[in-house]
Amino acid sequence: MSMLIATIAFPAESCEPPDFDRGRHLLEKIEDPSLFTFDEPKIELEGLLPDLNFESDLVDEDGEVLIECARSAGLVVINKLEEALASRETTFLTVANYRLYISGGLSNGGSPTNTTQAIWDAYKLPESVLVGMGFIPDYELPLSRANGSGDRTPLTDTDVVDAIALGLGTSPDWSGANTLEWITDAIGKVRSHSGGGNPRKYHEKFAEAHAVDPLDDSFLAMYVDEVYEAENE
């Protein structure tokens, strides 16, 4: 006896549900069938498209999956995923700004439930389609715009680090105080603003907010101003 579990992630702060209609629209624009991740195309497509004539309609003369067939299978996947997430067999929990949809059950070696299979099948879609619907294909990565959350959710630490990296990396020159000012303003979107305040109070607020004294952390301690450290020894 074993437990079969399927999960798919969505930004927890999003005010809108997954946009399945957008996924269907994006699916029509996919031209490259290799963007679909079918492990065994003939077997998987036969299950998704039982009415298809596989001898003539599955592949072209070179043995490549036809894009029309891949799109049709993708449409079935999206429809079944929409049904699965609305099903009583699916629940969700919120972890680290992710809403994780979960379905599954016990198995003694048999097939998974239809709902579980529908969630697993979602990962066969092109990643751009999954992201377009609002899902986060790889939720082991920090939630960020680069990982699919887009502008529908609040800024995250990762977004601000990305913004600072872009700002520094695309600027031919760094203008000293002006550069520090816009970095401070960017950080202020996810932390209490770090400019022009009392250093001791900022240190205390930081330690309280994060339950760690940065001076006790080998990485963070490198970034505490040396003058401030000397004054407080």
Side-chain angles (χ1 to χ4, degrees), residues 160-170 182:
V160 172
V161 172
D162 288 344
I164 292 172
L166 279 169
L168 296 176
T170 58
W182 70 252

Side-chain angles (χ1 to χ4, degrees), residues 36-50 52 54 58 69 73-74 76-77 80 117 120-125:
F36 295 81
T37 56
F38 297 113
D39 296 320
E40 298 181 78
K42 288 187 178 181
I43 295 174
E44 294 173 54
L45 292 173
E46 183 176 12
L48 291 167
L49 303 169
L52 194 67
F54 286 91
L58 178 61
C69 180
V76 173
V77 168
K80 288 188 174 183
Q117 188 65 56
W120 284 342
D121 284 346
Y123 294 97
K124 303 181 190 300
L125 294 168

Side-chain angles (χ1 to χ4, degrees), residues 7-230:
T7 61
I8 192 165
F10 193 75
E13 299 297 329
S14 178
C15 296
E16 300 294 332
D19 193 342
F20 296 104
D21 286 338
R22 185 162 190 259
R24 296 180 184 102
H25 177 70
L26 291 173
L27 194 63
E28 296 175 359
K29 298 184 177 182
I30 298 294
E31 299 291 342
D32 183 359
S34 70
L35 295 177
F36 295 81
T37 56
F38 297 113
D39 296 320
E40 298 181 78
K42 288 187 178 181
I43 295 174
E44 294 173 54
L45 292 173
E46 183 176 12
L48 291 167
L49 303 169
D51 297 329
L52 194 67
N53 181 339
F54 286 91
E55 293 301 321
S56 61
D57 295 334
L58 178 61
V59 298
D60 61 19
E61 61 273 15
D62 298 319
E64 299 294 329
V65 175
L66 295 173
I67 187 60
E68 293 84 359
C69 180
R71 288 195 196 115
S72 296
L75 183 60
V76 173
V77 168
I78 291 175
N79 292 342
K80 288 188 174 183
L81 179 63
E82 184 174 16
E83 293 175 5
L85 298 193
S87 167
R88 295 177 62 183
E89 296 181 8
T90 299
T91 187
F92 70 85
L93 56 86
T94 301
V95 179
N97 294 324
Y98 294 104
R99 184 188 309 152
L100 293 179
Y101 291 99
I102 303 171
S103 187
L106 294 174
S107 170
N108 57 2
S111 300
T113 66
N114 291 337
T115 303
T116 303
Q117 188 65 56
I119 295 175
W120 284 342
D121 284 346
Y123 294 97
K124 303 181 190 300
L125 294 168
E127 186 169 312
S128 61
V129 174
L130 267 182
V131 171
M133 291 189 289
F135 294 107
I136 303 164
D138 188 353
Y139 50 87
E140 293 182 359
L141 296 175
L143 187 61
S144 69
R145 280 156 170 70
N147 193 28
S149 69
D151 58 6
R152 292 166 293 183
T153 56
L155 289 174
T156 66
D157 294 2
T158 303
D159 291 322
V160 172
V161 172
D162 288 344
I164 292 172
L166 279 169
L168 296 176
T170 58
S171 298
D173 298 300
W174 301 345
S175 55
N178 289 338
T179 298
L180 288 176
E181 185 175 352
W182 70 252
I183 290 176
T184 298
D185 289 341
I187 293 170
K189 296 183 184 298
V190 293
R191 293 285 187 275
S192 52
H193 199 282
S194 50
N198 181 289
R200 176 179 291 280
K201 289 184 178 180
Y202 192 86
H203 179 184
E204 292 172 352
K205 288 174 64 176
F206 186 99
E208 180 181 0
H210 300 283
V212 61
D213 188 328
L215 295 176
D216 295 333
D217 183 278
S218 59
F219 175 74
L220 296 175
M222 293 189 296
Y223 295 90
V224 176
D225 190 271
E226 294 179 3
V227 174
Y228 170 74
E229 277 197 89

